[in-house]
Amino acid sequence: MNGTLFGDHMRKIRKLTLAASMAATFALSAFASSAANAGTIQLGFILDESGSIGSSNWNIIKAGLSNAVNNLIPLNSNYEISVVTFSSSATADIQNFLVTDAASRTSLATSIANLGYSGGGTNFTAAFDTMRTTLAASTLNIDFSYVNFATDGVTSNEATAITARNNLIAAGVDNISIEGIGSGVDTAYLQNSICYPGPCDTTSPYNFPTQGFYIGVANATAYAAAIENKIRVVTQPNNTVPEPASLALTGLGLFGIAMSRRRKAA
């Protein structure tokens, strides 16, 4: 190869390298912009603290949720957590709490672990209504809204509970999944009238979020394991971040396709 041809060849290589680098930089920038502009996922947890739960089981339930939150909620400002507890009435104990870093997540977990116990009846209607108004109060850009409902009993009014559940869905909730604790629940009612979207999925691995799912657990200890699995199912798809090398290869691939099309056009 003579000097002129060699010089031309090197200039082409430098142009290709520069173009590939620009493509990779563009891919990285696009990904960063997408992540920065990503909306928020609301996670609403409704916990039954009625008299049939009992204080010792209540301690197990809230400790299970606290540990699962502290271990599994990603630290990326994309998860907003609300917790509603209910018995004869309902209370929004934690409202629209955004997890941004380890300290905020630990603070959230501590607040859950410190929830008090009331006892009383089993008012699904109040639980759904309170969660609806809590989630609606968010000031963030919400992409998805998922509610997890845990109960060990039968509601005091099935008809009004269904209406409250429907209002929760109409307000923008995308999925309602359930843990039925113990043998005192009305499984058919929970699966057919509360779970959303239907039909309710009862077999692992669950088709989340396309279907709501129902897990029947024997006791409070089993609930603690189930809620950990629920949070893992919800958050795991958002934990996979492309490696920079993969993005660079994507940029090279896009550049190669563009060059191929240019050659064909020529």
Side-chain angles (χ1 to χ4, degrees):
M1 181 181 294
N2 62 37
T4 301
L5 290 176
F6 180 78
D8 290 342
H9 182 68
M10 291 304 297
R11 280 192 291 274
K12 288 181 180 179
I13 291 176
R14 283 195 294 270
K15 287 181 180 179
L16 288 170
T17 302
L18 176 60
S21 176
M22 291 175 63
T25 301
F26 173 78
L28 284 166
S29 298
F31 176 76
S33 175
S34 176
N37 295 324
T40 302
I41 297 175
Q42 289 182 320
L43 301 183
F45 298 93
I46 302 177
L47 303 179
D48 185 342
E49 58 171 343
S50 60
S52 56
I53 290 287
S55 59
S56 59
N57 284 332
W58 174 249
N59 288 335
I60 295 171
I61 286 171
K62 66 180 184 177
L65 179 57
S66 174
N67 291 334
V69 163
N70 205 30
N71 292 332
L72 297 171
I73 297 295
L75 307 177
N76 56 11
S77 300
N78 286 345
Y79 289 89
E80 182 188 77
I81 312 299
S82 297
V83 178
V84 167
T85 59
F86 75 98
S87 53
S88 300
S89 59
T91 303
D93 297 279
I94 297 169
Q95 304 178 50
N96 314 111
F97 187 101
L98 187 66
V99 176
T100 57
D101 53 22
S104 66
R105 187 172 66 180
T106 298
S107 175
L108 171 62
T110 300
S111 296
I112 295 172
N114 290 335
L115 291 174
Y117 173 70
S118 65
T122 310
N123 190 339
F124 287 11
T125 303
F128 296 138
D129 283 342
T130 302
M131 182 57 79
R132 173 175 52 81
T133 56
T134 299
L135 298 180
S138 176
T139 59
L140 301 176
N141 174 34
I142 304 300
D143 276 354
F144 302 102
S145 186
Y146 305 135
V147 169
N148 191 81
F149 180 65
T151 183
D152 80 328
V154 177
T155 185
S156 51
N157 190 319
E158 290 189 352
T160 59
I162 292 173
T163 298
R165 171 262 197 190
N166 291 343
N167 290 339
L168 182 60
I169 294 166
V173 166
D174 300 290
N175 185 286
I176 302 174
S177 293
I178 304 165
E179 288 84 38
I181 305 171
S183 59
V185 297
D186 185 341
T187 302
Y189 173 76
L190 291 173
Q191 291 181 3
N192 298 324
S193 299
I194 303 301
C195 192
Y196 175 81
C200 195
D201 192 357
T202 60
T203 304
S204 180
Y206 302 105
N207 188 26
F208 178 89
T210 304
Q211 293 172 256
F213 63 83
Y214 177 89
I215 304 175
V217 295
N219 49 42
T221 302
Y223 162 82
I227 198 63
E228 181 172 324
N229 182 57
K230 163 64 184 255
I231 293 177
R232 184 176 287 108
V233 167
V234 173
T235 60
Q236 187 173 359
N238 300 284
N239 290 337
T240 302
V241 179
E243 295 292 337
S246 298
L247 290 170
L249 288 173
T250 300
L252 288 169
L254 291 171
F255 174 75
I257 292 171
M259 290 299 294
S260 174
R261 288 176 176 170
R262 288 180 62 185
R263 284 196 297 270
K264 287 180 179 178

